[in-house]
């Protein structure tokens, strides 16, 4: 029998924080993938459990012992507009567990049927976005980015009504918390300061235990969330990742990447790249992400104002002071990450000089729409002296003259580096991935699954992405950008 060591503290917070719900059974659940390594890390035991039983549990047809299913309440700013009630409309929190490492994690089904928060939605998920979230969230983890994890993907054997009927799926996600900025907004908008405080206390105990004895715990919480988000978004930027829907309900209080909808890794670089079919104004474009991160954190700070100081003016000052730190923290994290990508030891060059060198490369890439991942990959194989290998990167640029010019600048800077070529290349290769989940490959995995019930493409892609920083013989094609006919220029969030 499946054993999950539940210890459901969130469920003790009481009703305003959630609405109890039950999963709605599905007709023919089949297991597509179960993440055994993650299950082990979490301290779950599935010894002797069949795929059929796993499919039953992770479709919601059978509840595991100790689960207390509920839909979490939250609000959120969607594309800048406040919606006072969103909540888990198609997700179901099963419980909270104490992992083998001592950390606590939430387990949640997504696509398991309607809840009190479903509004007009069916509470279901289509199979395609389930596979997409599985691939991308697990790849993010392997790339070293804080993220929710994927524990299981199940096909329901039922269709969901979207623009056309599509096969349905359920994904099981694991997070350090499913509490969002929008969860705080839900209570703040109702003037329910007591609940904001209760929520903050829960988050501190759960995700920021080091702040528990702090003299000013709520200010410390705000500061800590700001700093985790600054570092998270800097990591996204260093990988060419575009979240796509950075609404406040999709920003985790624990600083993890959450809610993989129309997200994408860029192939050809553009400063303002957008994929999401619903992001008409480019609000969540690549280069806009750091600024949107701050915008969302300001919304969080507003909800905490009554807890930050007695006098409203003082509270605003406290919030402002902490929010002011975001830009610096982001810049520091971004610069450190980008310097590492280019083999530049911090402190060897002046920060301004290194920043200009990095910006110069991004500008040249932007002009040529050079492939983001391949550009850094090829640079991490170059020596300090020019060689025939330079051509590998040059081929990625529609304007090779601009690339040549930048390369001379970079090599000038490398001359001051203490490391030799081999050591620098090894360090660069450790942070510049060979493989990212490219959109066209995700699309191919979804097409095979949807059209032919063939999951082999999904499994193969997932396997390659387990080791993103190491070249894998025989898997060269996974490095390639899409052929013209394979380009996916729009992504959709309708799970
Ligand atoms: P998301 O786009 O995943 O961030 O979801 C935004 C909001 O819409 C959340 O409150 C979801 O629970 C809700 N939602 C999205 N799709 C559905 C659906 N098919 N059924 C019910 N609620 C949904
Ligand atoms: Mg969401």
């Amino acid at each position: 029998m499946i054993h999950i060591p539940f210890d459901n503290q969130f469920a003790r917070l009481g009703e305003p924080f959630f609405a109890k719900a039950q999963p709605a059974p599905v007709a023919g659940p089949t297991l597509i993938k179960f993440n055994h390594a993650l299950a082990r890390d979490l301290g779950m035991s599935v010894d002797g459990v069949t795929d059929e039983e796993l499919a039953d549990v992770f479709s919601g047809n059978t509840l595991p012992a100790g689960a207390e299913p509920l839909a979490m309440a939250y609000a959120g700013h969607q594309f800048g507009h406040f919606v006072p009630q969103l909540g888990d409309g198609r997700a179901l929190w099963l419980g909270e567990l104490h992992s083998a490492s001592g950390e606590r994690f939430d387990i949640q089904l997504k696509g398991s049927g309607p809840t009190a928060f479903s509004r007009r939605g069916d509470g279901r998920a289509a199979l395609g976005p389930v596979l997409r979230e599985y691939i991308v969230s697990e790849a993010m983890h392997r790339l070293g980015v804080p993220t929710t994890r994927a524990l299981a993907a199940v096909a329901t054997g039922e269709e969901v009504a979207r623009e056309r009927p599509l096969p349905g799926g359920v994904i099981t996600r694991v997070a350090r918390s499913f509490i969002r900025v929008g969860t705080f907004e839900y209570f703040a908008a109702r003037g329910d300061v007591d609940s904001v405080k209760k929520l903050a206390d829960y988050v501190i105990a759960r995700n920021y235990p080091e702040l528990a004895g702090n003299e000013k715990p709520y200010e410390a919480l705000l500061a800590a969330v700001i700093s985790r988000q600054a570092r998270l978004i800097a990591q996204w930027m260093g990988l060419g990742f575009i979240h796509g829907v950075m609404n406040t309900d999709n920003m985790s209080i624990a600083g993890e990447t959450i809610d993989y909808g129309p997200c994408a890794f860029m192939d050809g670089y553009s400063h303002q790249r957008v994929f999401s079919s619903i992001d008409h104004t480019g609000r969540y474009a690549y280069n806009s992400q750091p600024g949107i991160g701050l915008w969302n954190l300001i919304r969080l700070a507003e909800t905490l104002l009554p807890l930050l100081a007695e006098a409203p003016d003082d509270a605003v000052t406290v919030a402002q002071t902490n929010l002011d730190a975001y830009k610096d923290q982001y810049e520091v994290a971004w610069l450190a990450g980008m310097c590492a990508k280019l083999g530049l030891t911090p402190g060897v060059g002046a920060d301004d000089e290194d920043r200009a060198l990095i910006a110069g490369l991004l500008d040249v890439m932007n002009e040529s729409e050079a492939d983001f991942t391949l550009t850094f990959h090829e640079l991490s194989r170059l020596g300090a002296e020019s060689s025939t290998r330079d051509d590998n990167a040059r081929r990625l640029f529609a304007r090779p003259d601009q690339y040549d010019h930048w390369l001379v600048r970079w090599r000038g800077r490398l001359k001051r580096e203490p490391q030799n070529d081999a050591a620098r290349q090894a360090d660069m290769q450790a942070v510049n991935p060979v493989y990212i989940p490219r959109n066209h490959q995700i699309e191919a995995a979804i097409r095979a699954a949807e059209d032919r019930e063939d999951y082999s493409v999904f499994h193969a892609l997932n396997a390659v992405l387990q080791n993103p920083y190491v070249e894998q013989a025989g898997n060269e094609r996974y490095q390639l950008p899409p052929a013209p006919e394979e380009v996916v220029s729009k992504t959709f969030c309708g799970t």
Side-chain angles (χ1 to χ4, degrees):
M1 222 178 58
I2 183 161
H3 172 72
I4 305 180
F6 282 120
D7 175 19
N8 305 329
Q9 295 185 4
F10 182 77
R12 306 282 81 77
L13 289 184
E15 279 287 340
F17 292 90
F18 53 79
K20 288 188 180 170
Q22 291 291 321
V26 297
T30 44
L31 187 71
I32 300 167
K33 174 109 185 138
F34 184 74
N35 192 339
H36 283 279
L38 175 60
R40 259 193 311 278
D41 289 348
L42 292 174
M44 291 172 53
S45 138
V46 295
D47 292 345
V49 177
T50 64
D51 282 3
E52 288 72 24
E53 289 170 274
L54 288 172
D56 270 339
V57 169
F58 295 105
S59 62
N61 277 12
T62 314
L63 280 176
E68 293 182 73
L70 55 86
M72 295 169 94
Y74 55 84
H77 276 85
Q78 298 190 307
F79 290 90
H81 303 287
F82 186 61
V83 183
Q85 180 165 309
L86 291 164
D88 288 335
R90 56 178 157 176
L92 200 60
W93 187 91
L94 289 183
E96 182 175 335
L97 58 78
H98 230 135
S99 75
S101 72
E103 266 192 291
R104 305 178 74 85
F105 290 90
D106 290 350
I107 301 186
Q108 187 196 64
L109 305 176
K110 187 171 177 183
S112 54
T115 73
F117 301 111
S118 295
R119 294 170 288 167
R120 284 182 304 253
D122 59 2
R124 292 300 187 190
L127 182 61
V130 165
L131 299 180
R132 166 181 270 279
E133 173 149 5
Y134 196 107
I135 293 166
V136 184
S137 64
E138 284 304 293
M140 285 292 259
H141 173 68
R142 297 293 174 178
L143 286 162
V145 183
T147 175
T148 62
R149 304 285 307 273
L151 181 64
V154 174
T156 60
E158 293 180 355
E159 283 191 335
V160 293
R162 297 294 180 260
E163 276 169 20
R164 59 193 169 89
L166 292 172
V170 176
I171 183 164
T172 304
R173 312 191 292 181
V174 172
R176 288 190 166 80
S177 176
F178 281 108
I179 293 172
R180 304 130 195 274
V181 169
T183 317
F184 282 83
E185 290 180 286
Y186 180 89
F187 296 103
R190 285 161 177 75
D192 184 354
V193 179
D194 281 351
S195 292
V196 172
K197 184 168 178 300
K198 223 166 146 182
L199 193 63
D201 288 336
Y202 172 79
V203 169
I204 289 171
R206 165 79 184 272
N207 298 107
Y208 298 89
E210 67 280 7
L211 308 181
N214 197 291
E215 242 174 73
K216 298 173 180 165
Y218 308 112
E219 179 179 349
L221 174 63
L222 177 63
V225 176
I226 287 171
S227 118
R228 281 197 200 176
Q229 281 297 336
R231 279 178 287 150
L232 176 68
I233 296 172
Q235 279 190 286
W236 292 356
M237 299 300 280
L239 290 166
F241 177 77
I242 301 162
H243 181 284
V245 250
M246 292 173 69
N247 293 333
T248 56
D249 54 302
N250 293 338
M251 183 183 258
S252 156
I253 206 70
E256 293 182 322
T257 313
I258 188 173
D259 275 15
Y260 292 85
C263 63
F265 284 79
M266 263 189 279
D267 297 303
Y269 180 78
S270 161
H271 291 322
Q272 287 297 337
R273 179 75 75 207
V274 175
F275 285 94
S276 168
S277 62
I278 53 171
D279 190 1
H280 304 298
T281 61
R283 180 180 169 88
Y284 301 136
Y286 174 74
N287 259 1
S288 302
Q289 297 185 119
I292 284 293
L294 177 59
W295 193 92
N296 289 348
L297 290 163
I298 296 171
R299 305 286 84 74
L300 174 67
E302 286 166 355
T303 72
L304 295 175
L305 284 175
L307 308 181
L308 294 179
E310 293 268 328
D313 282 357
D314 293 347
V316 170
T317 307
V318 170
Q320 197 57 57
T321 308
N322 282 282
L323 289 164
D324 284 346
Y326 171 85
K327 192 162 182 288
D328 263 4
Q329 294 191 4
Y330 170 77
E331 292 288 339
V332 167
W334 179 84
L335 187 61
M338 296 305 286
C339 280
K341 285 177 81 71
L342 289 176
L344 310 177
T345 311
V348 169
D351 282 358
D352 281 350
E353 178 195 6
D354 286 351
R355 209 176 282 120
L357 185 64
I358 296 159
L361 174 62
L362 293 173
D363 282 342
V364 173
M365 288 166 65
N366 181 64
E367 287 281 320
S368 285
E369 294 199 44
D371 188 86
F372 186 91
T373 305
L374 281 180
T375 298
F376 287 99
H377 170 75
E378 292 300 346
L379 290 176
S380 70
R381 277 145 184 86
L382 296 188
E385 301 298 331
S386 54
S387 76
T388 52
R389 222 181 146 140
D390 294 0
D391 287 342
N392 289 0
R394 185 179 290 108
R395 272 194 283 274
L396 304 169
F397 289 79
R399 293 282 313 268
D401 55 316
Q402 296 185 341
Y403 161 74
D404 288 338
H405 185 77
W406 180 84
L407 205 58
V408 171
R409 278 176 71 194
W410 181 52
R411 287 200 165 120
R413 170 66 180 76
L414 288 186
K415 285 206 170 44
R416 282 140 58 203
E417 281 296 316
Q419 284 181 308
N420 63 24
D421 278 356
R424 187 193 63 256
Q425 288 165 355
D427 285 355
M428 287 175 70
Q429 288 166 24
V431 295
N432 288 310
V434 185
Y435 307 101
I436 45 147
R438 291 184 185 267
N439 248 325
H440 68 291
Q441 288 157 348
I442 298 171
E443 192 57 30
I446 294 174
R447 288 271 56 80
E450 264 187 13
D451 301 347
R452 309 188 290 281
E453 283 183 57
D454 170 7
Y455 298 110
S456 63
V457 184
F458 163 81
H459 289 305
L461 177 56
N462 205 54
V464 170
L465 293 167
Q466 296 298 296
N467 252 317
Y469 292 104
V470 181
E471 278 182 335
Q472 301 165 30
N475 284 330
E476 291 75 13
R477 67 191 182 84
Y478 289 96
Q479 295 185 39
L480 301 178
E485 69 279 9
E486 292 175 318
V487 171
V488 179
S489 58
K490 284 228 181 312
T491 50
F492 302 88
C493 54
T495 27

